[in-house]
Amino acid sequence: MNAKLAAVAPRVQSSHVVARVGALLRAVGTEEPAGASTTELAKTAGLARPTAHRLLTSLAAEGLIDRDVVTGRWTLGPELYLLGAGAANRYDIVEQARDLVIGLARATGESAFLSARRGDETVCVLSEEGSFPVRSHVLHVGIRFPLGVASAGLAILSHLSDREIDEYFARVRLEPTFGADHCEPAVRARLAATRTTGYAVNPALIVEGSWGIGAAVFDRSARPAWALSLTGVETRFKPDRRHELGTLLLEQAHVLSGRLKAGNA
């Protein structure tokens, strides 16, 4: 190995470790609050089990994750809470959105959510159950989906530029995990429909019979950074009501975007 390659190798190796740690932390976060086993987390993060176990043990030593001594399941640790509290002043809009999410659930009877964009994914950060007794259980706080899958991610993706969308599809393939309904042409068709109506519709493509509608929320730079959404059973999402729910979501998303633009977050 020449001198230049020798100098680059440690940096490449370090970046790989950081990527693996990030994947594991996201995997643990997705499994909150019940936690997950080493095998489950290794599979989710795409790592060999020995590698996952070694990294999880190191993270636990730093307080970033915990392990239940009885079940052996891993959960997020206290140091992440402290780090998150420090970052909340910059990134957390939960308190600005809470009354709107509660209002959406009360007004519609459906479950309402706030999701945040994190790179090529959305993560649910706030939820409120509706009053309708039959509920969809696709979303919960902490769950992640790639952009273009759930209605929140579809709404956000639709507001990116054509170049950004092309770049997204160049690096992300949804079909192997989520099925033929998530091939690029199918997702692009839903993006076009979203750009027409302003709100995104997921017609039970994640879980049979469970529909979702989402609308993007914009940060101070007018970038789609969050989304409000509603989920429920198919019988509650007939065409006329979809338009009603979508319009309501757009109104509340506009209110929240306005709060953020005014500097209240």
Side-chain angles (χ1 to χ4, degrees), residues 15-16 28 43 77 88-89 97 127 142 145 148 154 171-172 175 188 209 219 232 250 264:
S15 67
H16 286 171
V28 175
K43 182 178 180 181
N89 289 335
S127 67
F145 286 107
L154 191 65
R171 65 179 177 267
V172 176
E175 189 176 358
R188 284 187 180 274
D219 63 18
L250 287 171
N264 295 326

mmCIF file of all heavy atoms in Angstrom, residues 15-16 28 43 77 88-89 97 127 142 145 148 154 171-172 175 188 209 219 232 250 264:
data_model
loop_
_atom_site.group_PDB
_atom_site.id
_atom_site.type_symbol
_atom_site.label_atom_id
_atom_site.label_comp_id
_atom_site.label_asym_id
_atom_site.label_seq_id
_atom_site.Cartn_x
_atom_site.Cartn_y
_atom_site.Cartn_z
ATOM 1 N N SER A 15 -15.102 5.963 9.072
ATOM 2 C CA SER A 15 -16.412 6.349 8.551
ATOM 3 C C SER A 15 -17.349 5.157 8.505
ATOM 4 O O SER A 15 -18.554 5.300 8.749
ATOM 5 C CB SER A 15 -16.271 6.973 7.156
ATOM 6 O OG SER A 15 -15.840 6.020 6.210
ATOM 7 N N HIS A 16 -16.806 3.966 8.220
ATOM 8 C CA HIS A 16 -17.638 2.770 8.214
ATOM 9 C C HIS A 16 -18.146 2.465 9.613
ATOM 10 O O HIS A 16 -19.308 2.069 9.799
ATOM 11 C CB HIS A 16 -16.834 1.582 7.685
ATOM 12 C CG HIS A 16 -16.613 1.628 6.205
ATOM 13 N ND1 HIS A 16 -15.763 0.769 5.545
ATOM 14 C CD2 HIS A 16 -17.119 2.445 5.246
ATOM 15 C CE1 HIS A 16 -15.772 1.053 4.252
ATOM 16 N NE2 HIS A 16 -16.574 2.063 4.049
ATOM 17 N N VAL A 28 -32.257 0.589 17.247
ATOM 18 C CA VAL A 28 -32.715 0.530 18.640
ATOM 19 C C VAL A 28 -33.869 1.510 18.855
ATOM 20 O O VAL A 28 -34.868 1.177 19.497
ATOM 21 C CB VAL A 28 -31.553 0.847 19.613
ATOM 22 C CG1 VAL A 28 -32.070 0.910 21.051
ATOM 23 C CG2 VAL A 28 -30.457 -0.199 19.503
ATOM 24 N N LYS A 43 -29.931 -7.696 12.180
ATOM 25 C CA LYS A 43 -30.661 -7.859 10.922
ATOM 26 C C LYS A 43 -31.163 -6.517 10.402
ATOM 27 O O LYS A 43 -31.028 -6.210 9.216
ATOM 28 C CB LYS A 43 -31.839 -8.824 11.124
ATOM 29 C CG LYS A 43 -32.630 -9.083 9.859
ATOM 30 C CD LYS A 43 -33.749 -10.087 10.110
ATOM 31 C CE LYS A 43 -34.546 -10.354 8.840
ATOM 32 N NZ LYS A 43 -35.661 -11.319 9.092
ATOM 33 N N GLY A 77 -30.300 4.636 25.781
ATOM 34 C CA GLY A 77 -29.727 4.911 27.085
ATOM 35 C C GLY A 77 -29.855 6.356 27.528
ATOM 36 O O GLY A 77 -30.272 7.234 26.769
ATOM 37 N N ALA A 88 -32.750 19.643 21.337
ATOM 38 C CA ALA A 88 -34.175 19.953 21.202
ATOM 39 C C ALA A 88 -34.425 21.421 20.891
ATOM 40 O O ALA A 88 -35.349 21.761 20.144
ATOM 41 C CB ALA A 88 -34.922 19.556 22.481
ATOM 42 N N ASN A 89 -33.599 22.305 21.468
ATOM 43 C CA ASN A 89 -33.816 23.731 21.237
ATOM 44 C C ASN A 89 -33.727 24.099 19.766
ATOM 45 O O ASN A 89 -34.334 25.063 19.316
ATOM 46 C CB ASN A 89 -32.784 24.547 22.025
ATOM 47 C CG ASN A 89 -33.047 24.502 23.518
ATOM 48 O OD1 ASN A 89 -34.170 24.294 23.947
ATOM 49 N ND2 ASN A 89 -31.992 24.684 24.307
ATOM 50 N N ALA A 97 -46.294 21.876 17.842
ATOM 51 C CA ALA A 97 -47.243 21.105 17.032
ATOM 52 C C ALA A 97 -48.284 20.362 17.865
ATOM 53 O O ALA A 97 -49.290 19.908 17.320
ATOM 54 C CB ALA A 97 -46.480 20.096 16.176
ATOM 55 N N SER A 127 -47.679 11.499 18.458
ATOM 56 C CA SER A 127 -48.910 10.839 18.012
ATOM 57 C C SER A 127 -50.041 11.135 18.984
ATOM 58 O O SER A 127 -49.812 11.413 20.167
ATOM 59 C CB SER A 127 -48.706 9.322 17.906
ATOM 60 O OG SER A 127 -48.496 8.751 19.187
ATOM 61 N N GLY A 142 -41.283 6.919 17.023
ATOM 62 C CA GLY A 142 -40.007 6.244 16.841
ATOM 63 C C GLY A 142 -39.893 5.445 15.560
ATOM 64 O O GLY A 142 -38.780 5.144 15.119
ATOM 65 N N PHE A 145 -39.671 5.320 8.248
ATOM 66 C CA PHE A 145 -39.947 4.833 6.901
ATOM 67 C C PHE A 145 -39.121 5.639 5.908
ATOM 68 O O PHE A 145 -38.895 6.842 6.109
ATOM 69 C CB PHE A 145 -41.427 4.994 6.544
ATOM 70 C CG PHE A 145 -42.347 4.015 7.212
ATOM 71 C CD1 PHE A 145 -43.178 4.420 8.248
ATOM 72 C CD2 PHE A 145 -42.379 2.685 6.804
ATOM 73 C CE1 PHE A 145 -44.022 3.526 8.861
ATOM 74 C CE2 PHE A 145 -43.231 1.774 7.420
ATOM 75 C CZ PHE A 145 -44.053 2.196 8.457
ATOM 76 N N GLY A 148 -41.286 8.523 0.638
ATOM 77 C CA GLY A 148 -42.049 7.941 -0.457
ATOM 78 C C GLY A 148 -42.841 6.713 -0.083
ATOM 79 O O GLY A 148 -43.538 6.154 -0.931
ATOM 80 N N LEU A 154 -44.091 10.672 1.692
ATOM 81 C CA LEU A 154 -44.512 10.973 0.326
ATOM 82 C C LEU A 154 -44.763 12.468 0.169
ATOM 83 O O LEU A 154 -44.376 13.081 -0.843
ATOM 84 C CB LEU A 154 -45.771 10.179 -0.021
ATOM 85 C CG LEU A 154 -46.201 10.161 -1.479
ATOM 86 C CD1 LEU A 154 -45.159 9.454 -2.340
ATOM 87 C CD2 LEU A 154 -47.550 9.442 -1.618
ATOM 88 N N ARG A 171 -30.198 6.445 -5.338
ATOM 89 C CA ARG A 171 -29.514 5.804 -4.204
ATOM 90 C C ARG A 171 -30.427 4.931 -3.340
ATOM 91 O O ARG A 171 -29.932 4.181 -2.495
ATOM 92 C CB ARG A 171 -28.830 6.852 -3.321
ATOM 93 C CG ARG A 171 -29.778 7.819 -2.625
ATOM 94 C CD ARG A 171 -29.023 8.823 -1.748
ATOM 95 N NE ARG A 171 -29.935 9.787 -1.134
ATOM 96 C CZ ARG A 171 -30.244 10.963 -1.630
ATOM 97 N NH1 ARG A 171 -29.702 11.359 -2.775
ATOM 98 N NH2 ARG A 171 -31.094 11.770 -1.011
ATOM 99 N N VAL A 172 -31.735 5.016 -3.536
ATOM 100 C CA VAL A 172 -32.670 4.260 -2.691
ATOM 101 C C VAL A 172 -33.601 3.421 -3.552
ATOM 102 O O VAL A 172 -34.205 3.926 -4.500
ATOM 103 C CB VAL A 172 -33.515 5.215 -1.806
ATOM 104 C CG1 VAL A 172 -34.546 4.422 -1.011
ATOM 105 C CG2 VAL A 172 -32.619 6.010 -0.874
ATOM 106 N N GLU A 175 -38.616 -0.989 -3.669
ATOM 107 C CA GLU A 175 -39.344 -2.186 -4.092
ATOM 108 C C GLU A 175 -38.905 -3.463 -3.382
ATOM 109 O O GLU A 175 -39.764 -4.268 -2.981
ATOM 110 C CB GLU A 175 -39.231 -2.344 -5.609
ATOM 111 C CG GLU A 175 -40.124 -3.444 -6.173
ATOM 112 C CD GLU A 175 -40.053 -3.492 -7.695
ATOM 113 O OE1 GLU A 175 -39.350 -2.649 -8.279
ATOM 114 O OE2 GLU A 175 -40.700 -4.372 -8.273
ATOM 115 N N ARG A 188 -43.427 7.591 -8.259
ATOM 116 C CA ARG A 188 -43.449 8.862 -8.994
ATOM 117 C C ARG A 188 -44.883 9.259 -9.373
ATOM 118 O O ARG A 188 -45.220 10.453 -9.378
ATOM 119 C CB ARG A 188 -42.568 8.768 -10.238
ATOM 120 C CG ARG A 188 -41.069 8.854 -9.938
ATOM 121 C CD ARG A 188 -40.271 8.925 -11.223
ATOM 122 N NE ARG A 188 -38.833 9.009 -11.010
ATOM 123 C CZ ARG A 188 -38.160 10.137 -10.809
ATOM 124 N NH1 ARG A 188 -38.810 11.300 -10.799
ATOM 125 N NH2 ARG A 188 -36.853 10.128 -10.634
ATOM 126 N N GLY A 209 -55.702 -2.465 4.344
ATOM 127 C CA GLY A 209 -56.839 -1.847 5.004
ATOM 128 C C GLY A 209 -56.516 -0.597 5.795
ATOM 129 O O GLY A 209 -57.416 0.023 6.356
ATOM 130 N N ASP A 219 -39.766 24.423 7.096
ATOM 131 C CA ASP A 219 -38.945 25.139 8.064
ATOM 132 C C ASP A 219 -38.783 26.595 7.644
ATOM 133 O O ASP A 219 -39.400 27.050 6.665
ATOM 134 C CB ASP A 219 -37.591 24.445 8.249
ATOM 135 C CG ASP A 219 -36.746 24.422 6.973
ATOM 136 O OD1 ASP A 219 -37.016 25.210 6.043
ATOM 137 O OD2 ASP A 219 -35.803 23.608 6.917
ATOM 138 N N GLY A 232 -56.078 5.709 9.353
ATOM 139 C CA GLY A 232 -57.310 5.056 9.769
ATOM 140 C C GLY A 232 -57.652 3.903 8.838
ATOM 141 O O GLY A 232 -56.923 3.619 7.891
ATOM 142 N N LEU A 250 -53.762 20.228 5.237
ATOM 143 C CA LEU A 250 -53.055 21.340 4.601
ATOM 144 C C LEU A 250 -53.221 22.623 5.405
ATOM 145 O O LEU A 250 -52.265 23.395 5.566
ATOM 146 C CB LEU A 250 -53.576 21.545 3.177
ATOM 147 C CG LEU A 250 -53.160 20.487 2.152
ATOM 148 C CD1 LEU A 250 -53.916 20.693 0.844
ATOM 149 C CD2 LEU A 250 -51.653 20.537 1.909
ATOM 150 N N ASN A 264 -40.970 30.859 16.279
ATOM 151 C CA ASN A 264 -41.435 30.342 17.555
ATOM 152 C C ASN A 264 -40.865 28.979 17.869
ATOM 153 O O ASN A 264 -41.265 28.339 18.829
ATOM 154 C CB ASN A 264 -42.964 30.259 17.557
ATOM 155 C CG ASN A 264 -43.593 31.635 17.473
ATOM 156 O OD1 ASN A 264 -43.052 32.596 17.999
ATOM 157 N ND2 ASN A 264 -44.739 31.728 16.810
#
